[in-house]
Amino acid sequence: MNRELTRVSALVLVMFLALFTSSSIIQSVQAESLNADQRNSRTIIDSFVVERGAILVDGQPIAQSVPSNDLYNWQREYTNGGLYAAVTGYNTLDQGNTGIEGAMNAELTGTSDSQFLSEIERLLTGRDPQGAAVSTTINAAAQQAAAEGIGDFTGAAVALDPETGEILAMYSSPTFDPNQMAVHDSQLVIDYYNQLEADPAAPLQNRAIGGDLYYPGSVFKMIVASAALKTGDYTLESEFDNPAELKLPQSSSVVKNSTEGQCGPVTDDKVDLETSIVYSCNIPFAQLAAELGEDTIAAEAQAYGFGQPLEIPMGVTPSSYPSDMSEANLMLTGFGQYDVRVTPMQMAMMSASIANDGTLMKPNLIDEIVTDNLTVVSDPQPEVFANPSTPGIASTLRESMEAGVDHGYADLAQIEGATVGGKTGTAENGTDNEPYNLWFTGYAEQDGKKVAVAVVVVPEENISGQGSNEIASPIAKSIMEAVLNS
Amino acid sequence: MTNALQTGVIRLQEATQSIRVRMRNPQKVRGVEAWLLVVAWAIAGGAIMMTQLGALGAIDATVLYLAGGLGLLTLAVHIVLRFVAREADPFLLPIVTVLNGLGIAQIYSIDIANGHEGWAADSIRQVAWTALAIVAAIIVLVVIRNHRVLTRYRYLSMFAAIGLILLPMVPGVGSTINGANVWISIGTFSFQPGEIAKIFLAIFFAGYLMTARESLSVAGKRILGLRLPRMRDLGPILIVWLLCMAVLVVQGDLGTGLLYFGLFTVMIYVATGRREWIIIGMVLVVLAVGVMFTLAQTHLSEAAGLGLGRASDRIDIWLNPFDQELFEQEYGGSGQIVRGLFGMAHGGMFGTGLGLGRPAITPQAADDFIFASLGEELGLVGVFAILALFFILVTRGLRIGFRGPDDFSKLLAVGLAFVIAIQVFIVVGGVTRVIPMTGLTLPFMASGGSSLLSNWIIIALLLRLSDSIRKTQEVDA
């Protein structure tokens, strides 16, 4: 019988080993993903028991936790919530987190891997747990300028430091009040959420980095021009036919310039590339797109960041350039129509790389993460995201953009004493006179200080004489001024 | 692999043998137990105190009832052992004391979270049940002075087991709790007679196999290369077992069914040494699962109020617990097991500390899911310690099997030890997704009287067996 008993003992050992293994897997290997599960109410309640770290702009809290006398210990409060909603996102009891509140949740609650040591220290000293503060790269004056400039329009604005990729402003309109998402009454939160969801203006969309994306219109011409220069076959002096109308191949559609006439102040049979950029003419760019071909433009768009995943740390929806197009559609993409779709962030990245000699720095919203005992947990350094063009090409593109602000269709962005380059754009949304996307993207430099910006607004209705230069350029100008003056 | 395991087990045997030699003196054996018991009280009392300190930030008299009650009761067992079983194994009582105490601490923590106090508190009731269970254990120790008398009552045990299993089906006595019709209600107390039945079954199997083992070993016909036992030898035991299984499947208590099945297979294998039994057992399991699935598909089970529908649900839950639809399903969904897993993950490596976690979020945190609760508050470290204690407990029982002087005591010891092992495996395996979840309780730890009572009686029987072995060997020497 002892032989059988030995085998039974072995079986018992195997049974227990299975239990040791399964427990270890759950409590060590899978613990992190289980804790991160949206349905895990323990994590949610925990995150309210710790003093959630603050979110800072210029050292001032825009989101912080204050003591509350209920089950959850702390109440999240947003100072100037509407102004910063696109940055902070919201922090709810059990309806999820967005923005920095979502992307940096582990750091804010003190549970990230990098905070493990301070967690141990806290265990030993018995101090109350506290999350780390997240300091953002946002420039308060620039953010304010963006919000004031956009006002009641729907739209978005992004400002970047071209040399570091720091995000100086990020605003999406209409905005919402994150304070109403943070109340400790799930039903009120759900009601407010449903109200925002039902709003046709979609205030919960962060238009700067996501949402439905925009048709870029003429601001996309800078990428087409960059592609042309990169081939080596074109310069700013390269010439194109200059008709008042261009019939698209195999199509009944006709392309016109925005003036409905020939391109440029002095009309001629030919028009050069620089004049086409400065006066934002469509016909030359339709021809250029056809000459370059779909693959060349697509590759250039990708070099500037189209189709690339990007986290700032929130995820940015990749912008897209269509593929397998007919020649007519290809020609439409030459001036940013047909199905080219972009985020304002992507357009700001384009201008930033042009202002930074062709090097695109990775956009980033996090300045540093500091624990309550002032230990710096994380201090992100500037990173190169891509090298979409060369210093030579970038300088040529700047020449044309600066001409556009000096005497072209972007002249309302001029700033006294600063070098400003820019490109406006007016993109059609569909066929029947729906409100246009009014764009400005560009950069400014003064005394070694640089800023790149992209602004898009969509008015209630199209008003003649109230185009992109009249509406978008001044908004961009005020944002750039705010950065240069700070 | 098997060889390495066997070598390991043999080493373990040698190690425990050398301990035994040093403790030859009966007085010394009880002395070791006394010291270990002091350590066990410190652990259990400390745990209960820390629970209160953690959850309430202060210490009050409840600690005295809980820890003091357990201390006095286990001290009583120790004193009784000094008189009636002086050479009983000294590790069993302290290990069970720690497990029982940690269980009370954990249940108390959940009581505090749920705001239960006084008689409504599961922890107070658990101490009361512990008292009852220990009194029963003492009675077993005092009345059964020689385990061999049990062989005489093997058929009586059989009828007792069947009667107890059928009892909940008697109209007016039975009551259905959580979809399982295995309870009887007396006043406000519910009791699962099936828990006690497992002891009677073990006694019956041991007694019957002791006499039938020779004839069961004789080969019958060969079918498909297997030397099957003769039908007439197989008959009686198979009928009893099938009866039990049928009743349990109808009652919807799969965990206990699995427990009886495992007990039966292991005991008959040890008795006959024939691997065919294990293969026959496996075939029967596959058949049973197949029948359940087929029946569950036809919805016949729901119409007839059988417990079969639950079985296929549970396999679904086992395989895809994180499925959103299953998670949200109100009855028979995976919400409970997933919340248990969240709890264990919440505890992580070192746990939240007793009284500081949120185990009460998981439904049935104090009974079916006490392992997840322990994992949350004591962490992986605590869980390892608890599993290790169970493992030592089981190996002490198996050791009695190895050293047993006669077939009956060998079979009974291995049967009882395996009952504990398989309960732990089914419960913890269910919570940690090694196997599908079935309704069983973690021995000594889960809140619930029937389980406590039966497992303490098992310990009493193991203590008695270990004492008999030592006495016999001393005489032999």
Side-chain angles (χ1 to χ4, degrees):
Chain A
M1 251 188 226
N2 281 6
R3 188 174 59 104
E4 288 78 31
L5 265 169
T6 308
R7 295 211 175 118
V8 170
S9 308
L11 172 68
V12 167
L13 185 61
V14 169
M15 279 159 55
F16 273 89
L17 284 177
L19 301 181
F20 278 111
T21 311
S22 63
S23 306
S24 308
I25 290 172
I26 292 166
Q27 300 200 257
S28 62
V29 183
Q30 294 179 341
E32 202 168 331
S33 66
L34 288 171
N35 282 330
D37 194 299
Q38 285 285 327
R39 296 168 288 193
N40 192 336
S41 47
R42 287 175 175 86
T43 311
I44 294 162
I45 298 174
D46 267 5
S47 66
F48 278 85
V49 169
V50 300
E51 181 180 351
R52 194 179 174 85
I55 301 174
L56 308 172
V57 164
D58 296 342
Q60 297 298 314
I62 55 170
Q64 62 182 326
S65 290
V66 296
S68 73
N69 292 321
D70 61 7
L71 171 67
Y72 301 105
N73 297 8
W74 301 96
Q75 172 66 53
R76 197 66 165 164
E77 267 187 16
Y78 298 89
T79 315
N80 236 332
L83 175 61
Y84 292 107
V87 175
T88 57
Y90 54 74
N91 168 236
T92 66
L93 204 55
D94 49 9
Q95 304 295 315
N97 302 323
T98 61
I100 286 183
E101 296 278 27
M104 304 302 284
N105 189 48
E107 286 78 7
L108 290 166
T109 53
T111 54
S112 74
D113 289 343
S114 52
Q115 278 145 280
F116 183 70
L117 281 180
S118 47
E119 192 65 16
I120 295 273
E121 183 213 319
R122 187 167 291 131
L123 264 178
L124 296 176
T125 55
R127 283 187 305 134
D128 281 340
Q130 191 180 6
V134 172
S135 173
T136 68
T137 56
I138 294 289
N139 176 317
Q143 183 78 8
Q144 187 70 40
E148 281 173 8
I150 292 177
D152 293 335
F153 291 120
T154 67
V158 171
L160 296 173
D161 182 330
E163 288 171 333
T164 61
E166 289 182 355
I167 297 170
L168 303 173
M170 180 163 75
Y171 183 75
S172 175
S173 173
T175 184
F176 64 95
D177 181 9
N179 284 306
Q180 292 197 53
M181 294 296 289
V183 291
H184 292 170
D185 179 336
S186 295
Q187 196 50 51
L188 287 179
V189 172
I190 291 169
D191 289 347
Y192 184 61
Y193 181 85
N194 288 339
Q195 179 197 327
L196 294 174
E197 278 283 276
D199 188 338
L204 284 176
Q205 282 186 0
N206 185 349
R207 293 171 155 78
I209 59 172
D212 291 339
L213 304 198
Y214 289 94
Y215 296 116
S218 299
V219 288
F220 188 69
K221 286 173 183 165
M222 298 318 299
I223 286 176
V224 179
S226 175
L229 295 172
K230 204 181 275 180
T231 60
D233 301 336
Y234 296 87
T235 64
L236 286 183
E237 285 74 44
S238 298
E239 295 197 319
F240 300 89
D241 290 339
N242 191 12
E245 277 188 9
L246 178 68
K247 189 175 165 299
L248 293 175
Q250 282 108 43
S251 161
S252 58
S253 304
V254 170
V255 173
K256 292 180 185 172
N257 293 322
S258 58
T259 55
E260 310 245 322
Q262 285 178 295
C263 181
V266 188
T267 52
D268 202 349
D269 283 354
K270 295 277 181 187
V271 62
D272 66 15
L273 184 59
E274 175 165 346
T275 308
S276 306
I277 295 172
V278 171
Y279 295 101
S280 200
C281 304
N282 294 337
I283 294 171
F285 271 93
Q287 296 170 50
L288 179 56
E291 287 168 24
L292 290 171
E294 179 184 314
D295 293 347
T296 309
I297 302 176
E300 193 69 5
Q302 191 177 357
Y304 277 94
F306 279 57
Q308 316 264 1
L310 169 64
E311 287 177 349
I312 61 168
M314 297 93 96
V316 177
T317 308
S319 301
S320 64
Y321 182 77
S323 58
D324 297 326
M325 287 176 286
S326 67
E327 181 151 25
N329 288 338
L330 169 63
M331 289 168 83
L332 290 174
T333 64
F335 48 97
Q337 288 292 162
Y338 184 52
D339 207 17
V340 184
R341 290 177 167 272
V342 301
T343 55
M345 176 61 73
Q346 174 64 65
M347 290 296 100
M349 285 159 69
M350 177 190 80
S351 294
S353 78
I354 292 170
N356 194 38
D357 285 336
T359 299
L360 173 56
M361 303 306 290
K362 181 178 178 293
N364 169 38
L365 197 48
I366 307 302
D367 176 32
E368 58 180 13
I369 299 168
V370 188
T371 64
D372 52 330
N373 57 11
L374 300 181
T375 315
V376 175
V377 176
S378 162
D379 182 13
Q381 296 301 309
E383 277 178 60
V384 174
F385 186 68
N387 285 295
S389 67
T390 62
I393 294 170
S395 148
T396 309
L397 292 171
R398 281 204 300 274
E399 196 181 308
S400 68
M401 289 172 86
E402 282 161 25
V405 172
D406 182 59
H407 55 270
Y409 279 6
D411 60 351
L412 295 178
Q414 289 168 8
I415 297 172
E416 187 78 33
T419 312
V420 183
K423 183 78 201 75
T424 53
T426 306
E428 292 180 12
N429 285 306
T431 45
D432 45 331
N433 210 31
E434 273 182 53
Y436 298 145
N437 300 336
L438 306 179
W439 281 93
F440 176 94
T441 183
Y443 56 86
E445 183 180 0
Q446 186 175 30
D447 307 331
K449 206 178 233 180
K450 285 184 185 173
V451 55
V453 69
V455 172
V456 62
V457 291
V458 183
E460 287 274 319
E461 54 177 332
N462 294 323
I463 299 170
S464 178
Q466 292 288 303
S468 49
N469 193 29
E470 290 75 23
I471 294 181
S473 299
I475 301 172
K477 174 188 171 183
S478 68
I479 298 171
M480 294 192 288
E481 269 182 328
V483 175
L484 296 179
N485 293 337
S486 59
Chain B
M1 178 66 183
T2 327
N3 278 340
L5 286 176
Q6 284 174 358
T7 323
V9 173
I10 290 164
R11 293 253 167 79
L12 206 68
Q13 249 174 277
E14 285 165 356
T16 43
Q17 248 166 357
S18 61
I19 295 173
R20 192 186 66 82
V21 169
R22 264 182 271 126
M23 296 186 308
R24 204 58 191 241
N25 181 341
Q27 231 36 60
K28 256 191 183 165
V29 176
R30 295 271 72 77
V32 168
E33 182 179 78
W35 279 113
L36 288 175
L37 208 48
V38 170
V39 175
W41 289 335
I43 295 172
I48 294 167
M49 229 146 64
M50 276 161 69
T51 302
Q52 196 173 48
L53 205 58
L56 302 177
I59 304 250
D60 68 27
T62 323
V63 171
L64 266 184
Y65 306 135
L66 298 176
L70 182 72
L72 283 176
L73 289 161
T74 47
L75 178 65
V77 179
H78 173 71
I79 291 167
V80 169
L81 285 176
R82 280 189 182 267
F83 288 100
V84 301
R86 289 168 59 197
E87 292 177 62
D89 190 295
F91 296 102
L92 297 178
L93 181 62
I95 290 176
V96 171
T97 304
V98 171
L99 293 173
N100 203 338
L102 286 178
I104 291 170
Q106 187 59 61
I107 296 164
Y108 181 44
S109 159
I110 294 162
D111 276 340
I112 295 173
N114 289 332
H116 291 165
E117 278 176 16
W119 205 237
D122 288 333
S123 50
I124 300 277
R125 291 161 82 105
Q126 183 80 345
V127 172
W129 275 112
T130 304
L132 201 69
I134 287 180
V135 168
I138 290 173
I139 291 171
V140 168
L141 279 167
V142 172
V143 171
I144 304 172
R145 290 303 183 89
N146 185 342
H147 65 277
R148 286 189 190 86
V149 298
L150 291 173
T151 59
R152 270 185 250 152
Y153 301 114
R154 59 184 182 272
Y155 289 108
L156 195 63
S157 293
M158 178 188 81
F159 289 119
I162 294 173
L164 284 167
I165 292 167
L166 290 175
L167 200 54
M169 300 176 84
V170 176
V173 182
S175 64
T176 303
I177 298 176
N178 295 328
N181 179 25
V182 292
W183 300 78
I184 55 169
S185 288
I186 305 156
T188 58
F189 281 97
S190 322
F191 193 80
Q192 260 183 296
E195 286 279 350
I196 306 295
K198 69 195 176 197
I199 302 170
F200 285 113
L201 270 185
I203 294 171
F204 163 63
F205 286 152
Y208 176 77
L209 290 169
M210 169 192 73
T211 54
R213 84 175 265 243
E214 297 298 327
S215 57
L216 281 174
S217 307
V218 175
K221 285 183 190 163
R222 283 179 75 96
I223 297 174
L224 295 172
L226 286 178
R227 289 182 301 127
L228 291 178
R230 292 177 300 182
M231 264 326 273
R232 57 181 156 140
D233 300 320
L234 202 66
I237 203 155
L238 213 56
I239 288 167
V240 172
W241 177 74
L242 278 175
L243 192 67
C244 293
M245 294 299 272
V247 167
L248 289 172
V249 168
V250 171
Q251 289 174 344
D253 186 7
L254 294 162
T256 312
L258 204 56
L259 164 66
Y260 292 170
F261 172 80
L263 175 65
F264 169 77
T265 311
V266 160
M267 286 184 76
I268 203 163
Y269 169 69
V270 171
T272 62
R274 302 262 314 266
R275 281 181 224 187
E276 286 80 5
W277 284 108
I278 294 174
I279 295 166
I280 292 170
M282 296 289 182
V283 170
L284 285 173
V285 162
V286 172
L287 274 179
V289 170
V291 168
M292 272 182 217
F293 256 116
T294 325
L295 284 177
Q297 300 297 329
T298 61
H299 297 279
L300 178 84
S301 53
E302 282 163 47
L306 307 182
L308 299 170
R310 293 153 48 87
S312 66
D313 271 5
R314 283 178 172 179
I315 290 176
D316 245 11
I317 291 165
W318 176 47
L319 295 175
N320 309 304
F322 295 101
D323 181 89
Q324 186 65 26
E325 205 173 303
L326 277 175
F327 180 78
E328 285 170 357
Q329 192 176 323
E330 196 167 347
Y331 297 104
S334 65
Q336 182 179 34
I337 189 163
V338 168
R339 288 192 179 90
L341 293 175
F342 285 160
M344 292 181 72
H346 189 224
M349 193 60 73
F350 302 105
T352 59
L354 279 164
L356 296 170
R358 303 176 192 285
I361 287 175
T362 312
Q364 287 178 286
D367 40 79
D368 284 14
F369 273 77
I370 194 156
F371 187 76
S373 308
L374 290 161
E376 178 170 359
E377 300 210 327
L378 297 175
L380 187 58
V381 174
V383 157
F384 264 47
I386 288 165
L387 286 176
L389 284 175
F390 273 118
F391 184 66
I392 298 170
L393 189 66
V394 173
T395 52
R396 294 306 292 180
L398 291 174
R399 181 180 163 279
I400 299 166
F402 275 112
R403 309 209 56 79
D406 55 75
D407 288 354
F408 178 75
S409 53
K410 273 174 174 294
L411 283 169
L412 187 57
V414 70
L416 294 175
F418 198 73
V419 163
I420 295 174
I422 199 166
Q423 283 184 91
V424 173
F425 181 73
I426 290 172
V427 178
V428 179
V431 171
T432 61
R433 288 183 62 215
V434 176
I435 54 168
M437 184 75 204
T438 56
L440 265 193
T441 50
L442 195 61
F444 306 107
M445 306 196 89
S447 163
S450 353
S451 161
L452 262 184
L453 185 64
S454 66
N455 287 306
W456 268 102
I457 291 174
I458 287 175
I459 291 302
L461 288 172
L462 284 174
L463 284 167
R464 171 53 67 214
L465 287 172
S466 63
D467 182 58
S468 315
I469 293 162
R470 287 238 168 80
K471 286 232 172 72
T472 326
Q473 280 169 350
E474 244 163 58
V475 174
D476 292 349

